[in-house]
């Protein structure tokens, strides 16, 4: 018979309760409802933008994509609010920082943490790319249609975002080292390097060098997320200063004549996104300020059960929605073309085109949901609350 020390047992139970309470507190701290809202909002804006504003036109070499921005005066101004990738990378940096802090507390090595998150994001993206490329190759071989490759490229083209995001995760050791040794100073360095690259691009004609800004601009946005908690604690005047500084920066850059007004690519114009320019840095500052200025109102809205539930559902399925929304859009467009008997759309949008946008969104959604369901049947696992992947970043 084993002797039991009552005092020791009570102390052990007390320690267990303390650890449970600490764990519960850690989960509570880790869940920031406003961060969840920003993630959900960003994903929905990207998806709805693609569904509503992608115009597929057919030329001699096959399908191509354009948008109403090049044909509608002043519409580019909407991209200052709805080109949300800078905000998305900013929130992603914060989420990954918190996830790493929790992982470090469990004794996980940084290399393992990085590889685990890269694997979690890359596998479904690679599966999607392989399936579409395989289908395209098979269909092209059977039908001998030359434009199949262009169609496949249009469907999987949003995966560039996943590739950039994976690169940022892979560089987590660098971001953490810079943060530990220099604080927020590297944000200024990165902004300065973006300026240098833009000067060499626009003044010296070094277009190839411009792609270095994929690291500097998105790295700046990602690492800025490490300062998220400091921004939240800052006075409201600081939020307003960020918003106005970013807005005036955008106005100055765009109306200098060096940069286009649209924050998304428009055919026939220099792009602020591919590769990113200094405008995206100003846009990031502007959007962080807008997000913080809107925080009190949105947090009151999130106190209601239904909005909170909607945000939770969108975050839960953010990864498959992003991955498969172009697949659903492609299927939906095919059904619309088959029903109408016309391939492609009007390149210059008219009133009828605008009135049809809700239909195109609804059809794309209806065709995306079954694809997500099939994906769930064959291996998708619901992300955990601490998961820092695309579904949580």
């Amino acid at each position: 018979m084993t002797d039991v020390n009552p005092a020791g047992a009570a102390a052990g139970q007390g320690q267990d309760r303390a650890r449970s309470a600490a764990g519960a507190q850690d989960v509570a701290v880790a869940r920031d409802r406003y961060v969840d809202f920003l993630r959900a909002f960003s994903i929905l804006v990207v998806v709805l933008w693609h569904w509503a504003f992608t115009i597929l036109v057919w030329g001699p070499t096959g399908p191509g994509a354009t948008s109403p921005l090049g044909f509608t005066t002043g519409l580019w101004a909407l991209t200052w609010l709805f080109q949300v990738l800078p905000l998305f990378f900013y929130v992603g940096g914060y989420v990954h920082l918190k996830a790493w802090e929790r992982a470090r507390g469990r004794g996980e090595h940084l290399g393992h943490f990085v590889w685990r998150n890269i694997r979690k994001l890359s596998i479904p993206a690679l599966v999607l790319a392989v399936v579409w490329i395989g289908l395209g190759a098979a269909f092209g071989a059977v039908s001998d249609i030359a434009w199949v490759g262009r169609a496949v490229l249009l469907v999987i083209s949003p995966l560039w975002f996943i590739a950039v995001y994976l690169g940022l995760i892979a560089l987590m050791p660098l971001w953490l080292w810079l943060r530990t040794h220099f604080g927020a100073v590297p944000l200024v360095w990165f902004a300065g390097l973006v300026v240098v690259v833009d000067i060499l691009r626009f003044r010296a004609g070094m277009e190839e060098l411009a792609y270095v800004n994929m690291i500097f601009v998105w790295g700046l946005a990602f690492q800025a997320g490490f300062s998220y908690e400091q921004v939240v604690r800052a006075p409201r005047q600081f939020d307003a200063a960020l918003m106005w500084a970013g807005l005036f920066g955008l106005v100055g850059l765009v109306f200098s004549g060096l940069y286009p007004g649209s924050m998304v690519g428009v055919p026939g114009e220099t792009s602020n996104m591919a590769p990113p320019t200094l405008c995206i840095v100003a846009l990031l500052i502007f959007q962080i300020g807008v997000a913080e200025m809107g925080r009190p109102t949105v947090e009151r809205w999130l106190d209601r059960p239904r909005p909170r539930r909607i945000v939770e559902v969108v975050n839960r399925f953010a990864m498959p929605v992003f991955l498969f929304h172009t697949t659903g859009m492609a299927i939906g467009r095919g059904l619309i073309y088959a029903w109408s008997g016309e391939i492609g759309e009007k390149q210059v949008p008219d009133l009828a085109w605008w009135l049809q946008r809700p239909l195109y969104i609804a059809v794309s959604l209806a065709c995306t949901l079954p694809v997500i369901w099939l994906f769930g049947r064959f291996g998708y696992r619901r992300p955990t609350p601490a998961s820092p992947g695309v579904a949580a970043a």
Side-chain angles (χ1 to χ4, degrees):
M1 185 173 181
T2 304
D3 293 333
V4 177
N5 185 335
Q13 292 174 357
Q15 291 172 356
D16 290 340
R17 284 194 297 269
R19 282 194 293 268
S20 299
Q25 183 179 12
D26 178 68
V27 172
V29 170
R31 302 304 299 173
D32 184 322
R33 288 188 304 177
Y34 196 59
V35 167
D36 289 343
F37 166 77
L38 293 176
R39 292 189 303 232
F41 174 78
S42 299
I43 286 291
L44 286 179
V45 167
V46 170
V47 170
L48 292 175
W49 187 281
H50 286 163
W51 284 350
F53 292 144
T54 299
I55 302 176
L56 291 180
V57 293
W58 290 72
T61 59
T66 184
S67 77
L69 294 174
F71 309 102
T72 308
T73 303
L75 190 63
W76 54 264
L78 290 179
T79 65
W80 292 16
L81 286 173
F82 297 119
Q83 170 48 287
V84 291
L85 283 184
L87 187 65
F88 192 99
F89 283 115
Y90 167 73
V91 173
Y94 168 71
V95 171
H96 276 83
L97 174 65
K98 302 308 292 183
W100 161 239
E101 290 175 351
R102 291 192 299 271
R104 184 178 57 187
R106 298 191 299 267
E108 186 172 359
H109 188 271
L110 178 58
H112 182 267
F113 170 82
V114 169
W115 173 242
R116 174 167 57 86
N117 284 280
I118 288 177
R119 187 176 65 242
K120 186 184 303 181
L121 285 176
S122 61
I123 290 176
L126 286 173
V127 169
L128 175 64
V130 168
V131 168
W132 265 108
I133 292 172
L135 289 174
F139 186 76
V142 171
S143 61
D144 194 27
I145 298 177
W147 52 258
V148 171
R150 286 180 57 86
V152 170
L153 182 60
L154 285 175
V155 174
I156 66 174
S157 58
L159 293 182
W160 74 265
F161 157 78
I162 299 291
V164 173
Y165 205 74
L166 289 171
L168 294 175
I169 296 172
L171 290 173
M172 275 288 290
L174 173 62
W175 311 138
L176 292 169
W177 183 84
L178 288 172
R179 177 71 177 179
T180 300
H181 290 83
F182 303 104
V185 176
L187 301 180
V188 180
W189 294 344
F190 275 45
L193 290 170
V194 174
V195 172
V196 172
V197 170
D198 277 5
I199 291 173
L200 294 175
R201 175 186 180 183
F202 294 117
R203 293 302 186 192
M206 302 174 65
E207 286 291 335
E208 296 79 9
L209 186 63
Y211 285 91
V212 177
N213 273 350
M214 298 290 282
I215 298 174
F216 294 153
V217 172
W218 300 128
L220 188 156
F222 193 82
Q223 196 173 24
F226 292 5
S227 300
Y228 171 84
E229 292 179 344
Q230 288 83 357
V231 173
V232 172
R233 291 194 298 266
R236 192 162 175 80
Q237 292 86 344
F238 180 77
D239 304 333
L242 287 177
M243 181 182 69
W244 287 110
L247 179 60
F248 286 135
L250 280 171
V251 170
L253 291 170
V254 167
F255 289 95
S256 70
L258 292 175
Y259 302 90
S262 174
M263 297 299 115
V264 301
V266 176
E269 293 186 3
T270 301
S271 175
N272 278 314
M273 279 292 295
T277 67
L278 187 61
C279 280
I280 303 301
V281 176
L283 182 66
L284 170 68
I285 297 170
F286 171 63
Q287 289 184 346
I288 292 174
V290 170
E292 290 305 315
M293 291 295 288
R295 176 185 291 271
T297 301
V298 175
E299 286 186 333
R300 287 194 297 270
W301 180 70
L302 290 174
D303 285 336
R304 304 174 185 175
R306 181 171 295 180
R308 188 164 61 248
R309 177 61 178 164
I310 292 173
V311 170
E312 290 172 357
V313 170
V314 173
N315 274 285
R316 182 184 307 162
F317 295 102
M319 180 176 173
V321 166
F322 179 82
L323 285 175
F324 295 114
H325 77 280
T326 52
T327 299
M329 183 176 73
I331 297 171
R333 296 295 172 91
L335 293 175
I336 292 174
Y337 298 159
W339 175 75
S340 65
E342 298 180 2
I343 298 180
E345 304 161 44
K346 295 179 180 179
Q347 185 169 359
V348 180
D350 54 14
L351 178 60
W353 186 90
W354 285 104
L355 293 176
Q356 291 169 357
R357 293 309 91 198
L359 170 65
Y360 277 68
I361 292 174
V363 172
S364 298
L365 175 62
C367 293
T368 301
L369 292 178
V371 179
I372 293 175
W373 180 81
L374 287 173
F375 181 48
R377 298 272 297 177
F378 292 96
Y380 175 68
R381 295 294 181 264
R382 179 181 300 182
T384 63
S387 173
V390 169

